[in-house]
Amino acid sequence: MALHLLHVDMDAFFAAIEVRDNPALRGLPVIVGAPPDRRGVVSTCSYEARVFGVHSAMPSRTAYKLCPQGVFLPGRHSHYSAVSRQVMEVLESFTPYVEPVSVDEAFLDVAGVLHAWPDAAALARALKARIRERLGLTASVGVATNLFLAKLASDLHKPDGLTVAPEDDASIRAWLAPLPVGRLWGIGQKSEAILAAAGIKTIGDLQGLGEARLVALLGIGMAQHVWPLANGRDERRLSPEPRDERTISHEHTFDEDCRDLERVRGVLLEQAERVAVRLREAGRLARTARIKVRFGDFSTITRQAPFPAPTDTDRELRQAARLLWEREGIRRPVRLIGFGVSDLVTPGEAAPRQPMLFPEFDRSAAPPTRERDRRIDRVVDRLRADFGRDVIRRGE
Amino acid sequence: MVKISVTREALSAGLQMVNGVVGARPTIPVLSNVLLEAEADHLSLTATDLEIFVRCRVDAKSAKAGVTTLPARRLLSIVRELSAENVEMDTDDKHMTEIASGAAFFKVMGMAVDDFPAPADFSSGAVFTLEAGALKQMLQRVHYAASADETRYILNGCLLSFRGNKLTVVATDGRRLALAEQEQEIPQESETDIVLPSKTVNELLRTLRDEGPVKITLTKNQAAFEFDNVLVISKLIEGTYPNFRQVIPSHCEERVAVEREMLLTAVRRVALMTSEKSSSVRLSFGKNKLKVSASSPDAGEANESLPVKYTGKEMAVAFNPEFIMEPLRTLVDDEIFFELVDELSPGVIKCSTPFLYVLMPMRIS
């Protein structure tokens, strides 16, 4: 298999944009995220700040303790989205096969355009140069034969790195061998601890372990996922058409971990309504709902569920939020709560629906109240647009 | 211990018969093996995955009776590569089997037979005798409509309904339904319904011949099929099959004869312009014309018109192209009949034999 997949990861994206836009910040530890005197986390920080041990997802208060001289910025997220769009445009100028993974990273399949370049590395160099010229930002790029290796490679020499993974199986295995097992997708702290207890620290240790022993340690599901990765195999393909991965979400971090779970639930339901409003403003329908809950110890769960049919109504979003919340049966104080929707579709291009012959099997029908809910939502949206959000509230 | 002489051809045929149920990673190691039972004039080969049990008898010469087990896949690949006409097998008391054929010689490690599961007892139960070819054809005509969705396990197979002096075979995934039927003498006390798992149906489709009888014995939760020198025993899917009669339209507004092959190739061509997002083709019935068309916002469009005898009202119905093509592929008739009520009601495909296929149109919302 030839080297044809690229993973492009923008370096310290939000912080880099702030520095670019305000050269006075150059060389300073820039920290984008919540202010240091409030609850909330760092979303990105510059490499200068990382020297102090600051990293993303760290509470801003901790970051302040580590780096009191840091320049804390609240973040201009709509601006970052616009820059992200420009980055994707640059990537698309190389190949139409671009799959954005998040605002600051994407996979590219360049198999179809390689003939115009000496090799994939040359293309990757040109791509990095074009991002720097057009946008004044740097990216780290990994070049490999599959998605997993490409992503791993882009992370090896940050910032402004270019890493080409080996091509043949034996060299790939040898290349992976010295890396810690935590580099494998799906190996979290828990699996890492289990492996460490068995003396398995590097991917090489894991390769030597054999699949059967791995199954015994991690269970069949995890082992079947991790084993091919440890040997550098990854069958996943880049979706040829750009997937619609846009999401709409709201999150809230409580000032103190919230013990009043009724209050948390109330915030969640209100978030569902806010998301519904934005969904309607965007003229889109969502296929999937999800909630995110973070506890005092920073452990975080996300749970998602598909809607029976794509929707944008307050009722269905609230219902999904309530269902996901109740299904978890949370009893612990909550630090952060969030609600979001994903897999957005535009009504006109909604796929034709295959109804069931047997009505008892039909899970995909819209609820009978859909049309009425739509009318109510339209009226409420108009009222709020004219008189403010608090002019009307939903009775429980 | 087995000591037997068998022709390569017979051994290979027998192994291929039973090999289909041998799993890649069975829960019990001995299930990767085939059980060999030697008698004076034959050799029985048996394999099972605990859900299905397949036994095949082939002619052989044996000095004495004996049993052993050998790894099924390996044995088959050895036999496939042999070139001499005869194969001699000789097992020692440690389940090591020597295989000699022409100048080739193998020693193959086997396993003790003790762990090999015994088949269920079928000395009692309702017994039906059918034409193997007819059963095979009925299964062929319906099995593709079964569901693979494991949350609807009752639909993960074919219903065989032995009632009203008819055998009715049905499969559905909830979106379309295929049904084939044939006359069958069924004593009232033997009337019953069983749901045969798709895996068993596929085994039967693979092993059933087109001629000769097949004897079916049914117990409460298992079915045995005996034909030629083969025995297939299968667990049944337990539960209540949905009332399929309720979804068969009782009347139709329009009925149109279409050349099967022509419709199949037209749908296949036009479906090239569907995308994952909008996989549907439209059948537009107009005066003496059937237009098959598809369009997809990001791919393009295609259409093809077929001459038909049609003078009914104009109608355009969208279907999943795969759902139209599947029955058309398995039927053999030159001509099939499309029956329609309106754009949103189920359509029906029929042919000159007792078969019908109900499919739900798609809705472009």
Side-chain angles (χ1 to χ4, degrees):
Chain A
M1 173 95 59
L3 296 162
H4 68 289
L5 291 166
L6 270 58
H7 180 253
V8 177
D9 195 2
M10 300 302 294
D11 300 318
F13 190 49
F14 299 166
I17 294 172
E18 294 298 341
V19 174
R20 177 194 72 174
D21 294 352
N22 179 5
L25 296 173
R26 195 166 298 281
L28 298 178
V30 174
I31 298 168
V32 178
D37 55 342
R38 292 249 289 278
R39 295 283 295 250
V41 297
V42 174
S43 61
T44 322
C45 61
S46 67
Y47 286 88
E48 289 82 356
R50 292 183 198 196
V51 173
F52 295 91
V54 179
H55 58 76
S56 52
M58 165 183 280
S60 290
R61 280 176 183 162
T62 314
Y64 182 73
K65 273 180 212 145
L66 291 169
C67 182
Q69 67 273 50
V71 181
F72 284 81
L73 298 171
R76 300 174 288 157
H77 290 274
S78 57
H79 180 52
Y80 304 151
S81 300
V83 180
S84 169
R85 193 56 243 151
Q86 292 170 340
V87 172
M88 298 305 163
E89 273 166 22
V90 171
L91 303 185
E92 278 160 11
S93 70
F94 285 84
T95 168
Y97 297 114
V98 176
E99 186 179 325
V101 182
S102 66
V103 283
D104 61 351
E105 54 177 311
F107 284 113
L108 277 72
D109 184 339
V110 298
V113 295
L114 264 185
H115 58 86
W117 301 86
D119 56 25
L123 187 155
R125 271 191 295 277
L127 184 146
K128 279 163 55 73
R130 199 174 296 174
I131 291 174
R132 187 180 302 114
E133 277 163 31
R134 298 247 174 108
L135 304 172
L137 297 168
T138 64
S140 293
V141 179
V143 184
T145 50
N146 65 44
L147 296 180
F148 162 65
L149 295 172
K151 169 131 179 152
L152 189 70
S154 74
D155 201 35
L156 282 182
H157 301 105
K158 272 183 130 333
D160 203 14
L162 169 59
T163 308
V164 181
E167 263 183 271
D168 68 280
D169 290 349
S171 315
I172 289 172
R173 282 167 53 95
W175 184 70
L176 288 171
L179 299 173
V181 289
R183 291 275 186 171
L184 298 170
W185 286 353
I187 296 280
Q189 287 171 356
K190 227 164 115 188
S191 311
E192 214 173 337
I194 294 171
L195 291 172
I200 308 298
K201 296 222 162 56
T202 66
I203 297 176
D205 295 341
L206 211 152
Q207 290 167 351
L209 192 66
E211 193 174 7
R213 282 271 292 136
L214 190 63
V215 170
L217 281 173
L218 297 183
I220 183 100
M222 187 65 153
Q224 279 180 349
H225 167 74
V226 165
W227 180 250
L229 294 182
N231 288 285
R233 294 193 303 271
D234 178 13
E235 302 284 315
R236 285 165 318 132
R237 306 268 289 274
L238 187 125
S239 0
E241 283 163 85
R243 261 191 299 160
D244 194 340
E245 281 217 295
R246 273 205 42 216
T247 59
I248 296 180
S249 61
H250 266 281
E251 286 184 5
H252 178 75
T253 305
F254 293 99
D255 289 334
E256 297 289 333
D257 293 346
C258 187
R259 291 171 189 282
D260 181 355
L261 296 177
E262 268 309 298
R263 182 171 158 225
V264 177
R265 182 173 173 275
V267 171
L268 176 69
L269 295 183
E270 200 184 301
Q271 285 172 339
E273 278 184 34
R274 284 175 187 268
V275 168
V277 171
R278 283 173 57 192
L279 201 50
R280 292 192 291 271
E281 279 170 3
R284 312 202 75 188
L285 302 173
R287 288 182 196 278
T288 309
R290 64 150 185 255
I291 63 166
K292 175 172 169 184
V293 188
R294 178 168 293 157
F295 302 102
D297 61 358
F298 265 83
S299 60
T300 307
I301 57 168
T302 59
R303 294 291 180 263
Q304 61 176 39
F307 291 106
T311 184
D312 65 356
T313 65
D314 280 9
R315 177 198 291 270
E316 286 172 80
L317 266 65
R318 282 172 60 94
Q319 196 177 346
R322 197 181 301 133
L323 227 69
L324 287 166
W325 170 258
E326 274 156 20
R327 204 186 281 168
E328 274 320 292
I330 286 163
R331 297 269 172 276
R332 300 152 64 191
V334 170
R335 178 187 170 87
L336 174 150
I337 183 80
F339 177 83
V341 292
S342 57
D343 295 332
L344 308 187
V345 292
T346 306
E349 51 183 57
R353 196 167 72 80
Q354 173 69 66
M356 286 286 179
L357 268 175
F358 295 82
E360 65 261 40
F361 290 143
D362 216 333
R363 294 181 195 142
S364 63
T369 55
R370 170 70 68 81
E371 276 320 303
R372 205 191 56 163
D373 292 340
R374 279 255 164 80
R375 287 204 301 275
I376 295 174
D377 288 343
R378 271 201 298 274
V379 172
V380 172
D381 288 351
R382 266 211 309 274
L383 274 171
R384 283 178 167 167
D386 289 346
F387 302 104
R389 217 191 127 66
D390 295 333
V391 70
I392 185 162
R393 280 198 51 200
R394 184 175 298 271
E396 268 295 333
Chain B
M1 295 303 107
V2 174
K3 186 168 171 61
I4 202 159
S5 169
V6 56
T7 65
R8 178 178 51 81
E9 208 181 328
L11 185 57
S12 171
L15 284 169
Q16 285 181 50
M17 230 19 134
V18 304
N19 215 43
V21 300
V22 179
R25 282 181 200 165
T27 43
I28 308 171
V30 77
L31 298 187
S32 327
N33 283 17
V34 55
L35 174 71
L36 290 92
E37 295 169 287
E39 297 286 343
D41 60 348
H42 70 262
L43 172 67
S44 286
L45 303 159
T46 305
T48 179
D49 64 356
L50 299 178
E51 303 282 319
I52 312 173
F53 176 100
V54 185
R55 169 174 293 166
C56 179
R57 263 167 69 153
V58 298
D59 290 337
K61 283 196 197 79
S62 176
K64 58 180 194 316
V67 294
T68 191
T69 79
L70 285 172
R73 297 253 150 94
R74 171 152 290 146
L75 183 58
L76 180 59
S77 45
I78 290 173
V79 172
R80 273 200 185 123
E81 290 301 325
L82 296 176
S83 50
E85 200 168 314
N86 276 297
V87 182
E88 312 292 328
M89 299 172 82
D90 190 355
T91 313
D92 69 14
D93 53 6
K94 297 204 169 55
H95 296 285
M96 171 78 81
T97 299
E98 295 179 358
I99 301 175
S101 181
F105 178 80
F106 294 82
K107 263 185 167 180
V108 184
M109 305 280 292
M111 275 169 132
V113 296
D114 317 348
D115 297 337
F116 205 90
D121 175 27
F122 274 89
S123 50
S124 64
V127 176
F128 306 96
T129 304
L130 274 69
E131 280 292 315
L135 176 63
K136 187 174 179 179
Q137 193 190 51
M138 284 197 287
L139 292 173
Q140 234 157 18
R141 287 180 168 194
V142 309
H143 79 282
Y144 53 82
S147 171
D149 177 353
E150 286 175 10
T151 63
R152 298 197 175 114
Y153 67 95
I154 190 71
L155 304 184
N156 299 163
C158 292
L159 171 76
L160 275 65
S161 177
F162 298 83
R163 284 182 194 281
N165 281 330
K166 267 187 304 196
L167 167 59
T168 310
V169 184
V170 180
T172 179
D173 62 4
R175 300 171 181 86
R176 39 53 186 279
L177 175 144
L179 176 151
E181 221 161 39
Q182 76 158 26
E183 309 263 308
Q184 172 74 26
E185 207 170 295
I186 294 161
Q188 201 137 39
E189 67 277 10
S190 301
E191 288 201 340
T192 183
D193 292 337
I194 63 165
V195 183
L196 211 53
S198 286
K199 187 168 177 199
T200 308
V201 172
N202 289 332
E203 272 312 304
L204 289 172
L205 287 175
R206 213 172 56 81
T207 51
L208 276 172
R209 301 255 169 78
D210 295 324
E211 277 146 32
V214 50
K215 179 181 157 199
I216 306 179
T217 311
L218 303 176
T219 62
K220 191 171 161 292
N221 51 13
Q222 304 216 40
F225 298 80
E226 289 170 79
F227 47 93
D228 299 327
N229 43 7
V230 181
L231 166 68
V232 176
I233 296 175
S234 168
K235 285 198 177 159
L236 299 174
I237 299 179
E238 294 181 53
T240 308
Y241 205 77
N243 177 9
F244 63 89
R245 304 265 176 211
Q246 71 172 5
V247 304
I248 300 172
S250 51
H251 75 291
C252 72
E253 294 293 320
E254 306 295 349
R255 180 181 163 96
V256 51
V258 186
E259 263 191 63
R260 180 182 60 86
E261 194 71 44
M262 215 198 256
L263 179 60
L264 175 60
T265 49
V267 172
R268 194 161 58 212
R269 273 191 288 265
V270 168
L272 296 174
M273 291 315 283
T274 61
S275 67
E276 222 173 277
K277 267 187 186 160
S278 61
S279 185
S280 74
V281 297
R282 281 166 85 82
L283 302 190
S284 311
F285 294 88
K287 191 171 188 316
N288 291 333
K289 194 173 93 172
L290 164 58
K291 189 170 102 176
V292 183
S293 61
S295 72
S296 147
D298 29 65
E301 58 179 78
N303 72 74
E304 181 164 346
S305 290
L306 316 177
V308 292
K309 279 205 182 95
Y310 184 78
T311 50
K313 65 174 178 193
E314 295 205 349
M315 212 187 299
V317 198
F319 293 111
N320 177 329
E322 207 42 51
F323 288 3
I324 305 180
M325 288 191 283
E326 278 178 326
L328 299 184
R329 277 192 208 111
T330 49
L331 293 175
V332 289
D333 310 58
D334 290 338
E335 197 176 59
I336 55 107
F337 302 93
F338 232 106
E339 293 184 356
L340 295 161
V341 177
D342 56 38
E343 274 87 352
L344 298 176
S345 306
V348 180
I349 292 174
K350 289 183 178 171
C351 65
S352 56
T353 46
F355 168 84
L356 69 85
Y357 182 80
V358 187
L359 74 167
M360 195 68 186
M362 298 189 75
R363 256 168 234 180
I364 322 287
S365 52

